[in-house]
Each structure stands twice: as structure tokens, then as C-alpha cells.
Amino acid sequence: MAQPGTTDGPVQDTGPEAWRVGALDEIQELLVSSVPVDSLLDAIVGHAARRAGGSAAITVRLGRRTAVAAASDELAAACDRAEQEAGEGPCLDASRAQRRITVPDVHDDPRWPAWREATLAAGFCATAALPAARHDGVDVDLAIDLYHPRPGEWDEDVLGDVARFADDAARAVAVAALAQEQRRTNEDLRSAMAARAVIDQALGVVMAQNRCGPEEAFDILRRASQARNQKMRDLAAAIVASVSGQEPHSPHDFQERPRR
């Protein structure tokens, strides 16, 4: 059986304060770099696992969607997936109740049977579920699951550090998710504006060829698009290219400004 990606214990070489500073510095750098939410979550779960000296997974609800968002290894991911599929487990209960849940020995805890079976099969004997505190205006529920192959009580300092880190992570994920959605909206707007410009150019060609007004030209273009089962923008681009001898250019084909 594969072994969880663990160390002999919590990270001690640089101390908890240095760990938290380093983790937050990386999160800030990732936010400034506008990385995808998935990349941010990968970094967060990696830091949580290192602080706990074991494995970790993150469950996140963004809007109405809840999923295992990231895991330090496949074994931890399998445990949280079993929890999501069963609809019950320590992480989900911790998030719902907004309280920490620890399981010093999974063998002795009969709750959540599907999750328990998957967790023991993965080689984990102890777990802790740490939910981020909810904040007004932050539509993110986030909880970090910690896993360890040896049974025993969790170090309170470790749990406190990771719990505070979960709060920081939730705010960071909310910011990253909002930025990612804004980038998608901007891209959709750019595509729509570019398509409109190309269609307008094609309408000019159709109007000149058929000596008609813009409404009739649009109807001609629409009927031709339907008859050929071709998107109107693609048909418009072909018309413009056939007349000009080159691909149509849209003034809305923006270039990203270089970062400073």
C-alpha cells in the first residue's frame, strides 16, 4: 500500500511564526500574479500539510458548489472524496457547525462509516478538520482536513496555526475567485466586441454588393449562416477575408499591457 506523504512530525526547523509568514508571503505573491484558484489552493494545502507533518486536503464551497478542491497527495484526496460522496464526515460537519473536529484514532470512531473505511484504507489513523471562520461578504466556506498515519492527540499549537491559516486562506480564495471571474467576464466582453466589429465589416460588404440597407444585409447574413450551419462571426470573417485578401482585424483585439 502506498504510504501517505508525511514526515516524522510537525515542521519545527523554522518555527510556526516563520512558517506562517512564509505561507502568507507565497499566497500574497500568487494573488498578485493572478494565478488560477486551483494553483492557489495547491499552495495552501501544501503549507498546511507541512505544518502538520502529515497530509492535508481542502474542501471548498464557492457559491453553491462544494468539492474537494486540493490535496497534498492522492491518499488524502481519496479520503475527502469519500466524504463528499457519502455526504457526511468530519470536514463537512466541522464546516456546518463552524467548530473544530479532531479524531485521535479513526479505528475507535464509528461515525461517518464510508469516510472511516476510506481513511483507514489510505493508511491514516488520526485526522483533524479545521473550518475557516465565516465573514460577511466572503461567499466561501473552506475547511482543511489534516491526516496522519499514527494515532494520537493533535498538537494544540499545530491546530491553532492551521486554523488561523484556514481563515487567511478563505479570504485569499475569495479574492482569487472574484478576480478569476472578472477575467472571464472581461474575456467574454472582448470576444463579443470583436465579433460585433467583424460582423459590422461583413455587413458593409453585403450592403455594397446587394445595394441594400443594414437590416436587409443582416437578414441576408443571418440566413446564409443558418443555411451553411456556420457561426455568423465565422461567416462574416470569411466574407471580409474574401474581399480584403487578409484576415479581418478588430479594433477590440486588445493587447495586454506589460506588467511593470
Side-chain angles (χ1 to χ4, degrees):
M1 175 171 46
Q3 293 297 314
T6 62
T7 63
D8 290 335
V11 174
Q12 299 290 349
D13 55 341
T14 57
E17 283 304 316
W19 165 82
R20 188 166 184 267
V21 169
L24 294 180
D25 282 348
E26 182 178 358
I27 288 177
Q28 183 176 9
E29 289 176 5
L30 292 173
L31 286 175
V32 171
S33 302
S34 299
V35 299
V37 174
D38 289 348
S39 298
L40 179 65
L41 290 169
D42 286 339
I44 291 168
V45 78
H47 283 292
R50 284 191 288 276
R51 179 66 184 104
S55 298
I58 296 179
T59 298
V60 174
R61 180 192 60 77
L62 286 170
R64 296 182 179 180
R65 180 173 174 269
T66 302
V68 180
S72 61
D73 53 69
E74 181 52 38
L75 292 172
C79 297
D80 271 25
R81 279 198 299 269
E83 180 175 11
Q84 293 296 324
E85 291 170 1
E88 61 175 12
C91 191
L92 291 176
D93 282 5
S95 184
R96 291 165 183 152
Q98 281 289 283
R99 64 180 179 86
R100 174 193 305 179
I101 293 179
T102 60
V103 181
D105 193 339
V106 178
H107 292 91
D108 298 336
D109 198 319
R111 297 175 291 177
W112 323 297
W115 169 85
R116 178 176 179 271
E117 181 181 352
T119 300
L120 291 175
F124 297 119
C125 293
T127 187
L130 308 168
R134 292 184 181 134
H135 299 278
D136 292 339
V138 179
D139 190 22
V140 173
D141 278 345
L142 181 148
I144 297 178
D145 262 349
L146 303 178
Y147 294 97
H148 201 280
R150 293 195 301 272
E153 294 291 343
W154 289 86
D155 185 286
E156 280 297 321
D157 289 338
V158 170
L159 295 182
D161 288 342
V162 176
R164 287 188 292 273
F165 185 52
D167 293 342
D168 298 325
R171 286 189 287 266
V173 169
V175 171
L178 181 62
Q180 183 169 288
E181 185 60 31
Q182 187 60 57
R183 288 193 297 273
R184 288 173 180 165
T185 300
N186 291 344
E187 186 58 37
D188 289 344
L189 289 173
R190 291 180 185 181
S191 297
M193 294 171 69
R196 182 72 256 181
V198 173
I199 290 172
D200 285 344
Q201 294 170 28
L203 287 176
V205 174
V206 175
M207 289 166 62
Q209 291 177 341
N210 294 272
R211 298 182 180 277
C212 63
E215 292 184 2
E216 185 178 349
F218 185 84
D219 188 56
I220 292 172
L221 193 61
R222 178 183 58 80
R223 285 188 279 110
S225 172
Q226 293 174 345
R228 300 182 185 188
N229 193 25
Q230 186 177 19
K231 291 182 179 179
M232 187 174 288
R233 178 182 178 175
D234 294 340
L235 176 59
I239 291 173
V240 174
S242 68
V243 173
S244 65
Q246 58 185 6
E247 292 296 320
H249 169 71
S250 168
H252 303 295
D253 291 336
F254 301 116
Q255 297 293 324
E256 294 286 347
R257 289 197 307 181
R259 296 181 181 273
R260 293 185 178 180

